[in-house]
Amino acid sequence: MIRNSPVVFSYTDGGSSATPDEEEEDGRGSSPPVLPPAGVAEPARKWRDVFWLFVFVIHLLAFGSSLFVLGMNRFGKADRFNIDRFTNMTAAAPAAAAVSAAAAEGDDGSPRSELTETFWPLYGMAGGVGTVVSWGWLVLMGSWAGQLMKLSVHFLTTYLAVISVLCFWGELFFWGVAFGVGAALQFLYVMSVLDRIPFTMLVLQKAVKMVQNLPEVKRIAYAFVFIMLCWAVLWSFGVSGIIASNIDSSMRWWLLVIFSVSLFWTGAVLCNTVHVLVSGMVFLVLIHGGRRATSMPSKPLSKSLRYAMTTSFGSICYGSLFTAAIRTLRWEIRGIRSKIGSNECLLCCVDFLFHLVETLVRFFNKYAYVQIAVNGKGFNHSARDAWELFQSTGIEALVAYDCSGAVLLMGIILGGLVTGTCTGIWTWYKRSDMVAMVGSTAILMGMVLVGLAVVIIESAVTSIYICFAEDPSLIQRWDAEFFDQMSEALHQRLQYRSARARHVMMNSRFDQSSDSPPSN
Protein backbone atom coordinates (compact mmCIF):
# COMPACT_ATOMS: atom_id res chain seq x y z
CA MET A 1 0.00 0.00 0.00
CA ILE A 2 1.01 3.58 -0.45
CA ARG A 3 1.61 4.11 3.25
CA ASN A 4 4.86 2.15 2.79
CA SER A 5 6.08 4.54 0.09
CA PRO A 6 8.02 7.77 0.70
CA VAL A 7 6.26 10.77 2.14
CA VAL A 8 3.60 12.22 -0.14
CA PHE A 9 3.21 15.98 -0.20
CA SER A 10 -0.23 17.41 0.45
CA TYR A 11 -1.60 20.91 0.56
CA THR A 12 -1.19 21.20 4.31
CA ASP A 13 2.03 19.41 5.17
CA GLY A 14 4.44 22.18 4.22
CA GLY A 15 6.34 20.06 1.69
CA SER A 16 8.67 22.96 0.89
CA SER A 17 9.71 25.87 3.05
CA ALA A 18 10.97 28.03 0.21
CA THR A 19 9.04 31.16 -0.63
CA PRO A 20 7.64 31.63 -4.16
CA ASP A 21 10.29 34.25 -4.89
CA GLU A 22 13.08 31.91 -3.78
CA GLU A 23 11.66 29.10 -5.88
CA GLU A 24 11.55 31.37 -8.89
CA GLU A 25 15.15 32.45 -8.38
CA ASP A 26 16.73 29.04 -8.05
CA GLY A 27 14.29 27.36 -10.49
CA ARG A 28 14.08 24.24 -8.30
CA GLY A 29 10.94 24.81 -6.23
CA SER A 30 8.86 21.69 -5.87
CA SER A 31 6.07 22.82 -3.57
CA PRO A 32 2.61 21.63 -4.55
CA PRO A 33 0.26 24.03 -6.30
CA VAL A 34 -1.80 26.12 -3.91
CA LEU A 35 -5.24 27.19 -5.09
CA PRO A 36 -6.81 30.34 -3.63
CA PRO A 37 -10.05 29.96 -1.70
CA ALA A 38 -13.31 30.67 -3.44
CA GLY A 39 -14.04 34.36 -3.68
CA VAL A 40 -10.39 35.39 -3.28
CA ALA A 41 -8.81 37.04 -6.29
CA GLU A 42 -6.03 34.99 -7.84
CA PRO A 43 -2.70 36.82 -8.26
CA ALA A 44 -1.95 37.99 -11.79
CA ARG A 45 0.21 35.53 -13.69
CA LYS A 46 3.48 36.46 -15.34
CA TRP A 47 4.17 35.85 -19.02
CA ARG A 48 6.43 32.80 -19.42
CA ASP A 49 8.82 31.79 -22.22
CA VAL A 50 7.93 34.88 -24.23
CA PHE A 51 10.79 34.30 -26.68
CA TRP A 52 9.22 31.06 -27.91
CA LEU A 53 5.84 32.76 -28.18
CA PHE A 54 7.33 35.30 -30.61
CA VAL A 55 9.19 32.55 -32.49
CA PHE A 56 5.96 30.59 -32.99
CA VAL A 57 3.96 33.63 -34.08
CA ILE A 58 6.68 34.70 -36.54
CA HIS A 59 6.84 31.10 -37.79
CA LEU A 60 3.09 31.12 -38.41
CA LEU A 61 3.23 34.41 -40.32
CA ALA A 62 6.29 33.43 -42.38
CA PHE A 63 5.13 29.92 -43.24
CA GLY A 64 1.54 31.01 -43.77
CA SER A 65 2.53 33.67 -46.31
CA SER A 66 4.95 31.23 -48.01
CA LEU A 67 2.23 28.60 -48.29
CA PHE A 68 -0.15 31.12 -49.84
CA VAL A 69 2.43 32.28 -52.39
CA LEU A 70 3.48 28.74 -53.33
CA GLY A 71 -0.14 27.65 -53.71
CA MET A 72 -1.17 30.70 -55.75
CA ASN A 73 1.88 30.32 -58.01
CA ARG A 74 0.23 27.31 -59.70
CA PHE A 75 -3.42 28.16 -59.05
CA GLY A 76 -5.33 28.51 -62.33
CA LYS A 77 -2.15 29.43 -64.19
CA ALA A 78 1.31 27.86 -64.32
CA ASP A 79 4.10 29.94 -62.73
CA ARG A 80 1.85 32.90 -61.91
CA PHE A 81 4.59 34.65 -59.88
CA ASN A 82 7.47 33.57 -62.16
CA ILE A 83 9.02 31.48 -59.37
CA ASP A 84 10.33 28.94 -61.87
CA ARG A 85 13.14 31.30 -62.85
CA PHE A 86 14.79 30.40 -59.53
CA THR A 87 14.60 26.64 -60.08
CA ASN A 88 17.04 26.29 -63.00
CA MET A 89 19.76 28.80 -62.13
CA THR A 90 22.70 26.55 -63.08
CA ALA A 91 21.63 26.06 -66.69
CA ALA A 92 23.13 28.13 -69.48
CA ALA A 93 20.97 30.92 -70.88
CA PRO A 94 18.97 29.08 -73.55
CA ALA A 95 16.54 30.29 -76.10
CA ALA A 96 12.97 31.00 -75.11
CA ALA A 97 11.79 27.83 -76.82
CA ALA A 98 14.17 25.68 -74.77
CA VAL A 99 12.94 27.30 -71.56
CA SER A 100 9.35 26.58 -72.53
CA ALA A 101 10.19 22.97 -73.34
CA ALA A 102 11.95 22.50 -69.99
CA ALA A 103 8.95 23.96 -68.18
CA ALA A 104 6.56 21.78 -70.14
CA GLU A 105 8.29 18.53 -69.21
CA GLY A 106 9.11 16.98 -65.89
CA ASP A 107 12.28 15.24 -64.80
CA ASP A 108 11.21 12.02 -66.49
CA GLY A 109 10.13 13.67 -69.77
CA SER A 110 6.40 13.42 -69.00
CA PRO A 111 4.14 16.42 -69.57
CA ARG A 112 4.04 18.89 -66.68
CA SER A 113 0.62 20.54 -66.72
CA GLU A 114 -0.22 20.16 -63.02
CA LEU A 115 -1.70 23.04 -61.12
CA THR A 116 -2.43 23.49 -57.42
CA GLU A 117 -6.02 22.40 -57.94
CA THR A 118 -4.76 19.07 -59.32
CA PHE A 119 -3.56 17.96 -55.88
CA TRP A 120 -5.61 20.13 -53.55
CA PRO A 121 -8.71 17.86 -53.76
CA LEU A 122 -6.52 14.94 -52.68
CA TYR A 123 -5.52 16.82 -49.54
CA GLY A 124 -9.15 17.79 -49.11
CA MET A 125 -9.92 14.10 -48.83
CA ALA A 126 -7.09 13.70 -46.30
CA GLY A 127 -8.49 16.54 -44.18
CA GLY A 128 -12.01 15.13 -44.43
CA VAL A 129 -11.00 11.58 -43.47
CA GLY A 130 -8.80 12.82 -40.63
CA THR A 131 -11.59 15.00 -39.26
CA VAL A 132 -14.14 12.17 -39.48
CA VAL A 133 -11.77 9.76 -37.70
CA SER A 134 -10.99 12.26 -34.93
CA TRP A 135 -14.60 13.31 -34.37
CA GLY A 136 -15.69 9.67 -34.57
CA TRP A 137 -13.12 8.85 -31.88
CA LEU A 138 -14.65 11.53 -29.66
CA VAL A 139 -18.19 10.25 -30.27
CA LEU A 140 -17.23 6.63 -29.49
CA MET A 141 -15.03 7.55 -26.55
CA GLY A 142 -17.67 6.78 -23.94
CA SER A 143 -18.75 3.25 -24.78
CA TRP A 144 -16.05 2.05 -27.19
CA ALA A 145 -12.88 3.75 -25.92
CA GLY A 146 -11.46 0.51 -24.47
CA GLN A 147 -12.07 -1.40 -27.70
CA LEU A 148 -10.51 1.40 -29.77
CA MET A 149 -7.37 1.37 -27.64
CA LYS A 150 -7.04 -2.42 -27.78
CA LEU A 151 -7.52 -2.25 -31.56
CA SER A 152 -4.70 0.29 -31.78
CA VAL A 153 -2.33 -1.96 -29.83
CA HIS A 154 -3.04 -5.24 -31.63
CA PHE A 155 -3.91 -4.07 -35.15
CA LEU A 156 -1.22 -1.46 -35.82
CA THR A 157 1.54 -4.00 -36.49
CA THR A 158 -0.56 -5.81 -39.09
CA TYR A 159 -1.59 -2.54 -40.72
CA LEU A 160 2.01 -1.37 -41.01
CA ALA A 161 3.06 -4.72 -42.49
CA VAL A 162 0.26 -4.63 -45.09
CA ILE A 163 1.19 -1.08 -46.13
CA SER A 164 4.82 -2.18 -46.41
CA VAL A 165 3.83 -4.98 -48.79
CA LEU A 166 1.71 -2.57 -50.86
CA CYS A 167 4.63 -0.14 -51.08
CA PHE A 168 6.94 -2.90 -52.35
CA TRP A 169 4.25 -3.93 -54.84
CA GLY A 170 4.07 -0.33 -56.05
CA GLU A 171 7.89 -0.20 -56.33
CA LEU A 172 8.17 2.34 -53.50
CA PHE A 173 11.12 0.55 -51.93
CA PHE A 174 12.13 3.25 -49.45
CA TRP A 175 8.63 3.47 -47.99
CA GLY A 176 8.31 -0.31 -48.03
CA VAL A 177 11.43 -0.64 -45.89
CA ALA A 178 10.32 2.24 -43.63
CA PHE A 179 6.90 0.74 -42.92
CA GLY A 180 8.43 -2.74 -42.55
CA VAL A 181 10.88 -1.47 -39.92
CA GLY A 182 8.01 0.36 -38.22
CA ALA A 183 5.98 -2.87 -38.08
CA ALA A 184 8.94 -4.73 -36.56
CA LEU A 185 9.57 -2.05 -33.93
CA GLN A 186 5.87 -1.92 -33.07
CA PHE A 187 5.75 -5.71 -32.65
CA LEU A 188 8.86 -5.76 -30.45
CA TYR A 189 7.57 -2.92 -28.30
CA VAL A 190 4.16 -4.55 -27.75
CA MET A 191 5.84 -7.84 -26.84
CA SER A 192 8.07 -6.05 -24.31
CA VAL A 193 5.14 -4.35 -22.51
CA LEU A 194 2.46 -7.05 -22.62
CA ASP A 195 2.57 -7.43 -18.85
CA ARG A 196 1.87 -3.69 -18.45
CA ILE A 197 -1.21 -3.58 -20.69
CA PRO A 198 -3.80 -4.51 -17.98
CA PHE A 199 -2.68 -1.70 -15.66
CA THR A 200 -2.45 0.71 -18.60
CA MET A 201 -6.01 -0.08 -19.67
CA LEU A 202 -7.20 0.45 -16.08
CA VAL A 203 -5.70 3.95 -15.98
CA LEU A 204 -7.07 4.80 -19.43
CA GLN A 205 -10.57 3.64 -18.50
CA LYS A 206 -10.55 5.85 -15.40
CA ALA A 207 -9.31 8.78 -17.49
CA VAL A 208 -12.18 8.23 -19.92
CA LYS A 209 -14.57 8.16 -16.95
CA MET A 210 -13.20 11.50 -15.78
CA VAL A 211 -13.50 13.11 -19.21
CA GLN A 212 -17.05 11.80 -19.64
CA ASN A 213 -18.07 13.87 -16.63
CA LEU A 214 -16.69 17.02 -18.29
CA PRO A 215 -18.73 17.50 -21.50
CA GLU A 216 -17.22 20.95 -22.14
CA VAL A 217 -13.83 19.26 -22.60
CA LYS A 218 -15.11 17.31 -25.60
CA ARG A 219 -16.55 20.51 -27.10
CA ILE A 220 -13.12 22.13 -26.77
CA ALA A 221 -11.59 19.18 -28.64
CA TYR A 222 -14.15 19.52 -31.45
CA ALA A 223 -13.38 23.23 -31.75
CA PHE A 224 -9.62 22.73 -31.87
CA VAL A 225 -9.95 20.01 -34.52
CA PHE A 226 -11.85 22.55 -36.62
CA ILE A 227 -9.15 25.19 -36.03
CA MET A 228 -6.47 22.71 -37.06
CA LEU A 229 -8.49 21.80 -40.15
CA CYS A 230 -8.56 25.48 -41.18
CA TRP A 231 -4.77 25.67 -40.93
CA ALA A 232 -4.50 22.34 -42.78
CA VAL A 233 -6.49 23.88 -45.66
CA LEU A 234 -3.87 26.61 -46.10
CA TRP A 235 -1.03 24.13 -45.54
CA SER A 236 -2.33 21.68 -48.12
CA PHE A 237 -2.92 24.56 -50.57
CA GLY A 238 0.76 25.54 -50.41
CA VAL A 239 2.02 21.93 -50.45
CA SER A 240 -0.14 21.23 -53.52
CA GLY A 241 1.59 24.15 -55.23
CA ILE A 242 5.00 22.69 -54.30
CA ILE A 243 4.14 19.25 -55.72
CA ALA A 244 2.76 20.82 -58.90
CA SER A 245 5.80 23.06 -59.41
CA ASN A 246 8.73 22.52 -61.78
CA ILE A 247 11.19 22.17 -58.90
CA ASP A 248 13.33 19.04 -59.13
CA SER A 249 12.24 16.07 -57.07
CA SER A 250 14.92 16.28 -54.36
CA MET A 251 14.19 19.96 -53.69
CA ARG A 252 10.47 19.25 -53.50
CA TRP A 253 11.12 16.56 -50.89
CA TRP A 254 13.21 18.97 -48.81
CA LEU A 255 10.47 21.60 -48.96
CA LEU A 256 7.90 18.99 -47.94
CA VAL A 257 10.07 18.01 -44.95
CA ILE A 258 10.41 21.64 -43.86
CA PHE A 259 6.72 22.36 -44.13
CA SER A 260 5.88 19.02 -42.48
CA VAL A 261 7.96 20.04 -39.45
CA SER A 262 5.99 23.29 -39.39
CA LEU A 263 2.70 21.38 -39.51
CA PHE A 264 3.87 19.05 -36.74
CA TRP A 265 4.87 21.96 -34.49
CA THR A 266 1.60 23.80 -35.11
CA GLY A 267 -0.40 20.66 -34.41
CA ALA A 268 1.63 19.94 -31.27
CA VAL A 269 1.01 23.48 -30.00
CA LEU A 270 -2.75 23.08 -30.49
CA CYS A 271 -2.68 19.61 -28.88
CA ASN A 272 -0.78 20.88 -25.86
CA THR A 273 -3.08 23.88 -25.55
CA VAL A 274 -5.94 21.41 -25.22
CA HIS A 275 -3.69 19.46 -22.84
CA VAL A 276 -3.35 22.50 -20.57
CA LEU A 277 -7.09 23.22 -20.68
CA VAL A 278 -8.15 19.66 -19.87
CA SER A 279 -5.45 19.19 -17.21
CA GLY A 280 -6.55 22.36 -15.47
CA MET A 281 -10.19 21.28 -15.50
CA VAL A 282 -9.48 17.74 -14.24
CA PHE A 283 -7.16 19.05 -11.54
CA LEU A 284 -9.78 21.52 -10.32
CA VAL A 285 -12.48 18.84 -10.22
CA LEU A 286 -10.27 16.52 -8.14
CA ILE A 287 -9.10 19.29 -5.83
CA HIS A 288 -12.56 20.67 -5.12
CA GLY A 289 -14.26 17.29 -4.90
CA GLY A 290 -16.64 17.53 -7.84
CA ARG A 291 -17.76 19.53 -10.84
CA ARG A 292 -20.58 21.20 -8.94
CA ALA A 293 -18.74 21.87 -5.68
CA THR A 294 -19.38 25.31 -4.17
CA SER A 295 -15.64 25.96 -3.93
CA MET A 296 -15.16 25.56 -7.69
CA PRO A 297 -14.13 28.85 -9.34
CA SER A 298 -16.64 30.45 -11.65
CA LYS A 299 -16.14 29.76 -15.36
CA PRO A 300 -13.01 27.62 -14.90
CA LEU A 301 -12.81 26.67 -18.58
CA SER A 302 -12.85 30.25 -19.85
CA LYS A 303 -10.24 31.23 -17.27
CA SER A 304 -8.01 28.31 -18.26
CA LEU A 305 -8.45 29.19 -21.93
CA ARG A 306 -7.45 32.80 -21.28
CA TYR A 307 -4.30 31.75 -19.45
CA ALA A 308 -3.42 29.10 -22.05
CA MET A 309 -3.68 31.57 -24.93
CA THR A 310 -1.84 34.43 -23.19
CA THR A 311 0.58 34.09 -20.28
CA SER A 312 1.26 30.35 -20.69
CA PHE A 313 1.22 30.16 -24.49
CA GLY A 314 4.99 30.68 -24.78
CA SER A 315 5.60 27.69 -22.48
CA ILE A 316 3.24 25.59 -24.58
CA CYS A 317 5.08 26.56 -27.79
CA TYR A 318 8.44 25.77 -26.19
CA GLY A 319 7.46 22.37 -24.81
CA SER A 320 5.77 21.35 -28.05
CA LEU A 321 9.08 21.38 -29.89
CA PHE A 322 10.73 18.57 -27.94
CA THR A 323 8.30 16.70 -25.68
CA ALA A 324 6.80 14.28 -28.20
CA ALA A 325 10.13 13.21 -29.75
CA ILE A 326 11.84 12.65 -26.37
CA ARG A 327 8.85 10.77 -24.97
CA THR A 328 8.68 8.43 -27.99
CA LEU A 329 12.42 7.76 -27.79
CA ARG A 330 12.10 6.97 -24.08
CA TRP A 331 9.37 4.39 -24.72
CA GLU A 332 11.43 2.61 -27.37
CA ILE A 333 14.62 2.54 -25.26
CA ARG A 334 12.72 1.26 -22.21
CA GLY A 335 11.20 -1.53 -24.30
CA ILE A 336 14.57 -2.56 -25.75
CA ARG A 337 16.34 -2.30 -22.38
CA SER A 338 13.85 -4.59 -20.68
CA LYS A 339 14.49 -7.39 -23.21
CA ILE A 340 18.30 -7.32 -23.36
CA GLY A 341 19.86 -10.48 -21.99
CA SER A 342 23.50 -10.95 -20.95
CA ASN A 343 25.05 -8.97 -23.81
CA GLU A 344 27.06 -6.55 -21.67
CA CYS A 345 28.33 -4.42 -24.57
CA LEU A 346 24.82 -3.83 -25.95
CA LEU A 347 23.45 -3.29 -22.44
CA CYS A 348 26.13 -0.67 -21.75
CA CYS A 349 25.26 1.25 -24.93
CA VAL A 350 21.53 1.11 -24.26
CA ASP A 351 22.05 2.16 -20.63
CA PHE A 352 24.01 5.20 -21.81
CA LEU A 353 21.15 6.21 -24.12
CA PHE A 354 18.65 5.43 -21.38
CA HIS A 355 20.30 7.73 -18.84
CA LEU A 356 20.72 10.45 -21.48
CA VAL A 357 17.02 10.33 -22.35
CA GLU A 358 16.05 10.18 -18.66
CA THR A 359 18.00 13.40 -18.14
CA LEU A 360 16.14 15.07 -21.00
CA VAL A 361 12.82 13.86 -19.61
CA ARG A 362 13.46 15.92 -16.47
CA PHE A 363 13.30 19.03 -18.65
CA PHE A 364 10.74 17.93 -21.24
CA ASN A 365 7.81 15.85 -19.97
CA LYS A 366 4.07 16.00 -20.50
CA TYR A 367 3.39 16.38 -16.77
CA ALA A 368 4.73 19.93 -16.97
CA TYR A 369 1.48 21.03 -18.62
CA VAL A 370 -0.51 20.33 -15.45
CA GLN A 371 1.79 22.67 -13.49
CA ILE A 372 1.50 25.24 -16.29
CA ALA A 373 -2.29 25.02 -16.14
CA VAL A 374 -2.55 25.29 -12.35
CA ASN A 375 0.34 27.56 -11.39
CA GLY A 376 1.35 29.27 -14.62
CA LYS A 377 5.05 28.38 -14.30
CA GLY A 378 7.56 28.28 -17.15
CA PHE A 379 7.92 24.99 -18.99
CA ASN A 380 11.34 23.87 -17.71
CA HIS A 381 10.44 24.92 -14.16
CA SER A 382 7.18 22.96 -14.37
CA ALA A 383 8.85 19.89 -15.86
CA ARG A 384 11.53 19.77 -13.15
CA ASP A 385 8.96 20.26 -10.38
CA ALA A 386 6.76 17.47 -11.72
CA TRP A 387 9.66 15.04 -12.10
CA GLU A 388 11.11 15.84 -8.67
CA LEU A 389 7.65 15.35 -7.16
CA PHE A 390 7.37 11.92 -8.79
CA GLN A 391 10.83 10.86 -7.64
CA SER A 392 10.39 12.14 -4.08
CA THR A 393 7.13 10.25 -3.66
CA GLY A 394 8.07 7.12 -5.59
CA ILE A 395 5.31 7.69 -8.16
CA GLU A 396 7.95 7.75 -10.91
CA ALA A 397 8.10 3.95 -10.65
CA LEU A 398 4.39 3.80 -11.47
CA VAL A 399 4.66 6.40 -14.25
CA ALA A 400 7.49 4.40 -15.86
CA TYR A 401 5.38 1.23 -15.67
CA ASP A 402 2.36 2.86 -17.31
CA CYS A 403 2.16 2.75 -21.13
CA SER A 404 -0.95 4.88 -21.61
CA GLY A 405 0.92 7.49 -23.64
CA ALA A 406 2.31 4.83 -25.98
CA VAL A 407 -1.13 3.23 -26.41
CA LEU A 408 -2.67 6.58 -27.30
CA LEU A 409 0.18 7.28 -29.72
CA MET A 410 -0.60 3.98 -31.43
CA GLY A 411 -4.16 5.20 -31.89
CA ILE A 412 -2.88 8.45 -33.38
CA ILE A 413 -0.58 6.60 -35.78
CA LEU A 414 -3.39 4.26 -36.78
CA GLY A 415 -5.66 7.23 -37.50
CA GLY A 416 -2.93 8.81 -39.60
CA LEU A 417 -2.38 5.58 -41.53
CA VAL A 418 -6.10 5.27 -42.27
CA THR A 419 -6.09 8.84 -43.56
CA GLY A 420 -2.96 8.27 -45.65
CA THR A 421 -4.26 4.97 -47.04
CA CYS A 422 -7.54 6.47 -48.24
CA THR A 423 -5.74 9.43 -49.78
CA GLY A 424 -3.01 7.24 -51.29
CA ILE A 425 -5.51 4.92 -52.98
CA TRP A 426 -7.29 7.87 -54.60
CA THR A 427 -3.95 9.41 -55.59
CA TRP A 428 -2.93 6.11 -57.21
CA TYR A 429 -5.84 6.39 -59.62
CA LYS A 430 -5.32 10.11 -60.25
CA ARG A 431 -1.52 10.47 -60.34
CA SER A 432 0.30 7.23 -59.54
CA ASP A 433 3.73 8.92 -59.64
CA MET A 434 2.79 11.21 -56.74
CA VAL A 435 1.51 8.60 -54.28
CA ALA A 436 4.56 8.83 -52.01
CA MET A 437 4.50 12.63 -51.70
CA VAL A 438 0.76 12.99 -51.20
CA GLY A 439 0.35 9.85 -49.08
CA SER A 440 3.18 10.63 -46.63
CA THR A 441 1.99 14.18 -46.00
CA ALA A 442 -1.61 12.98 -45.71
CA ILE A 443 -0.51 10.59 -42.94
CA LEU A 444 0.93 13.53 -41.03
CA MET A 445 -2.30 15.53 -41.48
CA GLY A 446 -4.34 12.62 -40.16
CA MET A 447 -2.06 12.12 -37.16
CA VAL A 448 -2.31 15.78 -36.17
CA LEU A 449 -6.11 15.83 -36.46
CA VAL A 450 -6.60 12.56 -34.56
CA GLY A 451 -4.07 13.68 -31.95
CA LEU A 452 -6.29 16.63 -31.04
CA ALA A 453 -9.08 14.20 -30.16
CA VAL A 454 -6.89 11.73 -28.26
CA VAL A 455 -5.05 14.35 -26.18
CA ILE A 456 -7.98 14.87 -23.82
CA ILE A 457 -7.53 11.31 -22.50
CA GLU A 458 -3.80 11.78 -22.07
CA SER A 459 -4.43 15.04 -20.22
CA ALA A 460 -6.74 13.27 -17.78
CA VAL A 461 -4.08 10.58 -17.20
CA THR A 462 -1.36 13.14 -16.42
CA SER A 463 -3.65 15.00 -14.04
CA ILE A 464 -4.52 11.79 -12.21
CA TYR A 465 -0.83 11.00 -11.65
CA ILE A 466 -0.02 14.53 -10.48
CA CYS A 467 -2.93 14.46 -8.02
CA PHE A 468 -1.94 10.99 -6.82
CA ALA A 469 1.57 12.30 -6.12
CA GLU A 470 0.42 15.57 -4.53
CA ASP A 471 -2.29 14.13 -2.30
CA PRO A 472 -3.54 10.53 -2.74
CA SER A 473 -6.68 11.34 -0.74
CA LEU A 474 -7.92 13.29 -3.79
CA ILE A 475 -7.99 10.08 -5.84
CA GLN A 476 -9.45 8.13 -2.90
CA ARG A 477 -12.29 10.61 -2.56
CA TRP A 478 -12.98 10.44 -6.31
CA ASP A 479 -12.77 6.63 -6.72
CA ALA A 480 -11.82 4.51 -3.68
CA GLU A 481 -11.48 1.27 -5.65
CA PHE A 482 -9.16 2.87 -8.18
CA PHE A 483 -7.11 4.35 -5.34
CA ASP A 484 -6.61 0.88 -3.86
CA GLN A 485 -5.56 -0.51 -7.25
CA MET A 486 -3.09 2.34 -7.82
CA SER A 487 -1.66 1.93 -4.31
CA GLU A 488 -1.19 -1.80 -4.75
CA ALA A 489 0.48 -1.32 -8.14
CA LEU A 490 2.81 1.31 -6.66
CA HIS A 491 3.72 -0.98 -3.77
CA GLN A 492 4.56 -3.80 -6.19
CA ARG A 493 6.69 -1.54 -8.41
CA LEU A 494 8.66 -0.19 -5.44
CA GLN A 495 9.27 -3.73 -4.20
CA TYR A 496 10.40 -4.79 -7.68
CA ARG A 497 12.83 -1.88 -7.95
CA SER A 498 14.20 -2.54 -4.49
CA ALA A 499 14.77 -6.23 -5.27
CA ARG A 500 16.40 -5.35 -8.59
CA ALA A 501 18.71 -2.81 -6.92
CA ARG A 502 19.77 -5.42 -4.35
CA HIS A 503 20.42 -7.93 -7.12
CA VAL A 504 22.59 -5.48 -9.07
CA MET A 505 24.50 -4.54 -5.92
CA MET A 506 25.18 -8.19 -5.03
CA ASN A 507 26.38 -8.93 -8.56
CA SER A 508 28.73 -5.93 -8.53
CA ARG A 509 30.19 -7.03 -5.19
CA PHE A 510 30.63 -10.56 -6.50
CA ASP A 511 32.42 -9.26 -9.61
CA GLN A 512 34.73 -7.12 -7.46
CA SER A 513 35.58 -10.03 -5.19
CA SER A 514 36.29 -12.25 -8.20
CA ASP A 515 38.60 -9.67 -9.77
CA SER A 516 40.57 -9.01 -6.58
CA PRO A 517 43.88 -10.94 -6.29
CA PRO A 518 44.03 -13.70 -3.68
CA SER A 519 45.76 -12.84 -0.43
CA ASN A 520 49.05 -14.56 0.38
Side-chain angles (χ1 to χ4, degrees):
M1 299 297 290
I2 196 165
R3 294 179 182 86
N4 296 330
S5 64
V7 177
V8 178
F9 294 130
S10 68
Y11 289 95
T12 58
D13 65 3
S16 174
S17 59
T19 64
D21 292 336
E22 291 170 345
E23 292 172 358
E24 188 64 31
E25 289 173 0
D26 64 13
R28 293 179 289 104
S30 58
S31 60
V34 179
L35 301 176
V40 177
E42 184 177 351
R45 294 189 176 186
K46 297 180 180 180
W47 288 74
R48 306 293 185 182
D49 298 311
V50 179
F51 171 77
W52 293 102
L53 169 61
F54 281 113
V55 170
F56 181 73
V57 172
I58 292 172
H59 146 265
L60 281 184
L61 295 175
F63 277 74
S65 58
S66 299
L67 288 166
F68 178 78
V69 170
L70 290 169
M72 286 299 298
N73 184 56
R74 306 287 293 191
F75 186 74
K77 177 184 176 181
D79 200 19
R80 180 186 298 272
F81 298 135
N82 197 21
I83 293 179
D84 285 350
R85 70 182 186 275
F86 300 111
T87 64
N88 195 23
M89 297 178 66
T90 59
V99 176
S100 300
E105 292 185 354
D107 298 332
D108 57 355
S110 60
R112 288 289 304 222
S113 59
E114 297 96 325
L115 299 174
T116 298
E117 51 266 39
T118 303
F119 300 98
W120 204 19
L122 303 176
Y123 284 108
M125 180 178 185
V129 173
T131 303
V132 169
V133 172
S134 60
W135 283 357
W137 204 96
L138 286 170
V139 169
L140 298 174
M141 185 179 62
S143 56
W144 292 89
Q147 288 78 358
L148 290 174
M149 294 169 191
K150 292 177 182 177
L151 178 68
S152 302
V153 173
H154 300 294
F155 186 63
L156 182 57
T157 302
T158 305
Y159 204 118
L160 286 168
V162 171
I163 294 179
S164 176
V165 172
L166 292 176
C167 288
F168 281 120
W169 178 68
E171 298 183 355
L172 300 172
F173 295 104
F174 172 80
W175 293 103
V177 172
F179 284 115
V181 171
L185 290 176
Q186 165 68 9
F187 177 78
L188 291 175
Y189 179 77
V190 172
M191 291 297 100
S192 67
V193 299
L194 273 179
D195 58 323
R196 308 181 190 181
I197 296 299
F199 175 74
T200 297
M201 288 301 173
L202 170 67
V203 175
L204 288 172
Q205 289 169 1
K206 296 302 179 180
V208 170
K209 173 187 172 183
M210 172 62 72
V211 172
Q212 284 295 103
N213 295 328
L214 298 171
E216 60 267 50
V217 163
K218 295 177 68 174
R219 291 195 291 268
I220 283 289
Y222 282 119
F224 271 77
V225 169
F226 178 76
I227 294 171
M228 186 64 227
L229 183 62
C230 293
W231 176 256
V233 169
L234 175 61
W235 186 87
S236 59
F237 179 73
V239 169
S240 298
I242 293 173
I243 297 177
S245 67
N246 289 325
I247 305 173
D248 65 276
S249 181
S250 61
M251 182 58 68
R252 271 184 290 169
W253 274 112
W254 277 111
L255 287 174
L256 287 179
V257 169
I258 292 171
F259 283 103
S260 294
V261 171
S262 170
L263 179 67
F264 175 81
W265 190 21
T266 305
V269 168
L270 291 178
C271 284
N272 290 325
T273 303
V274 177
H275 195 342
V276 169
L277 293 173
V278 178
S279 299
M281 285 293 297
V282 172
F283 201 87
L284 286 175
V285 169
L286 292 175
I287 289 293
H288 293 279
R291 181 68 180 84
R292 293 178 174 81
T294 56
S295 59
M296 277 285 290
S298 60
K299 299 181 179 178
L301 185 61
S302 60
K303 181 185 292 186
S304 298
L305 180 62
R306 184 175 73 251
Y307 287 144
M309 298 305 296
T310 54
T311 56
S312 297
F313 194 64
S315 300
I316 294 172
C317 297
Y318 174 44
S320 300
L321 268 175
F322 309 104
T323 307
I326 292 173
R327 184 176 26 165
T328 304
L329 183 61
R330 182 173 184 253
W331 291 331
E332 292 295 340
I333 291 178
R334 277 187 176 274
I336 296 172
R337 186 171 179 259
S338 64
K339 293 301 179 182
I340 293 178
S342 58
N343 190 327
E344 295 184 1
C345 180
L346 181 58
L347 182 61
C348 181
C349 295
V350 172
D351 271 343
F352 172 76
L353 293 175
F354 175 76
H355 291 300
L356 177 62
V357 172
E358 288 293 303
T359 301
L360 292 175
V361 167
R362 293 179 63 88
F363 298 94
F364 301 99
N365 61 72
K366 61 184 179 180
Y367 303 96
Y369 296 109
V370 182
Q371 301 276 11
I372 290 173
V374 177
N375 285 338
K377 301 177 182 178
F379 183 84
N380 284 145
H381 191 185
S382 300
R384 286 196 302 269
D385 284 358
W387 207 245
E388 288 173 3
L389 174 66
F390 285 155
Q391 289 188 321
S392 64
T393 56
I395 306 298
E396 191 272 334
L398 202 58
V399 170
Y401 185 69
D402 178 34
C403 301
S404 57
V407 171
L408 293 175
L409 178 62
M410 293 174 196
I412 293 172
I413 294 174
L414 185 60
L417 290 175
V418 171
T419 303
T421 302
C422 296
T423 307
I425 291 173
W426 191 20
T427 306
W428 178 268
Y429 289 104
K430 295 291 184 179
R431 283 299 308 268
S432 60
D433 57 325
M434 295 296 178
V435 171
M437 287 188 177
V438 176
S440 58
T441 47
I443 289 174
L444 180 60
M445 287 180 62
M447 288 177 60
V448 171
L449 290 168
V450 176
L452 281 164
V454 172
V455 72
I456 61 176
I457 305 300
E458 188 172 19
S459 304
V461 171
T462 57
S463 300
I464 288 172
Y465 276 117
I466 289 288
C467 286
F468 189 64
E470 294 281 5
D471 189 349
S473 64
L474 300 174
I475 304 298
Q476 187 177 29
R477 181 174 57 185
W478 173 58
D479 191 323
E481 182 182 1
F482 179 54
F483 168 78
D484 293 335
Q485 292 168 327
M486 290 275 285
S487 301
E488 182 62 28
L490 176 59
H491 181 61
Q492 292 176 359
R493 295 312 301 168
L494 291 175
Q495 283 188 326
Y496 171 78
R497 285 199 169 187
S498 178
R500 185 174 180 179
R502 287 196 300 270
H503 178 71
V504 171
M505 185 177 299
M506 290 176 63
N507 286 342
S508 63
R509 289 178 178 175
F510 177 77
D511 292 339
Q512 290 176 0
S513 62
S514 299
D515 295 337
S516 60
S519 59
N520 294 326

